[in-house]
Amino acid sequence: EVVLTQSPGTLSLSPGERATLSCRASQSFASRYLAWYQHKPGQAPRLLIYSTSGRATGIPDRFSGSGSGTDFTLTISRVEPEDFAVYYCQQYGISPFTFGPGTKVDIK
Amino acid sequence: QVQLQESGPGLVKPSQTLSLTCTVSGGSISSADYYWSWIRQQPGKGLEWIGYIYYSGSTSYSPSLKSRATISEDKSRNQFSLNLISVTAADTAVYYCAREPASGVTEPKWGQGTLVTVSS
């Protein structure tokens, strides 16, 4: 099983700051199988990034993804008030598919 | 535009079987391009992948749920289902169905989710 580790666990930022979220895998997999989700309480997770760097439909360009092999990054160039949420990475290249434990982005 | 909709009882008694169905519209579960998955989120916890079924009928499950979960399909109704046996309060969660690309180059798509509470 591919174990995904996300860091930091919590990221405290002020609006306008840059957010860098890390997702590290216990083994390498094809980068086209890495997605990032934003999750807010009471809502379904929102797909932000798929295939490591593909921005999902309707996602603003302040969200970007990068990485390969075992190291992946989600960057929010300037955090907006609506971006405070929990972010999960997921790999769907090697069964069983797995999620990371999440990074909470909260207001500083 | 594909849409996925979960349905099933919102309340299940302990030790019984949780049964959910995902109805897919705007796309076919017979497509070789996608895995059809179940995912859940227990209260206060992160996202947990449960398993998938592929168009061929092959399945894969999370090791932690493999002994209790079964995913099946009904191609005639364009639906796939989750059965989880011997449930406990720990299985209380929001359950999501999802379409995950086999090629990795298209967007995954999720349903809105359905809350299932396990309680007597």
Side-chain angles (χ1 to χ4, degrees):
Chain A
E1 175 177 326
V2 178
V3 177
L4 298 178
T5 302
Q6 291 187 243
S7 60
T10 301
L11 191 54
S12 297
L13 296 168
S14 300
E17 290 191 301
R18 183 182 186 88
T20 302
L21 287 65
S22 171
C23 176
R24 181 162 292 177
S26 60
Q27 64 185 91
S28 180
F29 59 92
S31 61
R32 65 184 180 274
Y33 295 112
L34 191 284
W36 289 92
Y37 290 88
Q38 177 192 70
H39 199 192
K40 297 179 180 179
Q43 299 182 16
R46 177 192 185 197
L47 175 68
L48 300 175
I49 300 289
Y50 66 100
S51 196
T52 292
S53 57
R55 201 174 296 116
T57 304
I59 300 303
D61 61 9
R62 65 179 181 272
F63 291 94
S64 63
S66 63
S68 65
T70 60
D71 290 306
F72 301 88
T73 300
L74 174 70
T75 301
I76 311 172
S77 58
R78 291 176 306 280
V79 173
E80 298 284 341
E82 61 268 29
D83 299 338
F84 294 101
V86 179
Y87 293 81
Y88 296 95
C89 58
Q90 184 208 12
Q91 69 81 20
Y92 45 100
I94 298 175
S95 298
F97 301 165
T98 48
F99 289 92
T103 289
K104 183 178 182 180
V105 177
D106 67 13
I107 300 175
K108 191 172 185 180
Chain B
Q1 178 80 331
V2 69
Q3 292 190 332
L4 297 91
Q5 180 66 57
E6 305 88 351
S7 60
L11 181 65
V12 180
K13 288 182 166 48
S15 79
Q16 293 192 342
T17 297
L18 179 160
S19 296
L20 295 174
T21 295
C22 182
T23 300
V24 179
S25 57
S28 172
I29 68 168
S30 298
S31 170
D33 292 337
Y34 301 101
Y35 298 106
W36 304 93
S37 295
W38 288 96
I39 294 153
R40 72 179 183 179
Q41 184 175 37
Q42 298 153 301
K45 296 193 174 182
L47 298 171
E48 180 180 22
W49 186 81
I50 299 170
Y52 72 61
I53 189 163
Y54 193 40
Y55 83 105
S56 58
S58 65
T59 55
S60 176
Y61 299 98
S62 165
S64 64
L65 292 167
K66 187 174 185 176
S67 63
R68 297 195 295 126
T70 302
I71 298 175
S72 58
E73 62 185 1
D74 184 341
K75 288 189 170 73
S76 66
R77 297 188 177 192
N78 215 35
Q79 296 175 331
F80 63 105
S81 298
L82 169 69
N83 274 4
L84 188 65
I85 65 171
S86 305
V87 296
T88 69
D91 295 308
T92 293
V94 178
Y95 287 79
Y96 299 94
C97 60
R99 182 190 79 169
E100 300 186 288
S103 68
V105 298
T106 57
E107 295 185 23
K109 177 71 175 177
W110 292 37
Q112 282 301 302
T114 187
L115 174 63
V116 179
T117 301
V118 178
S119 174
S120 56

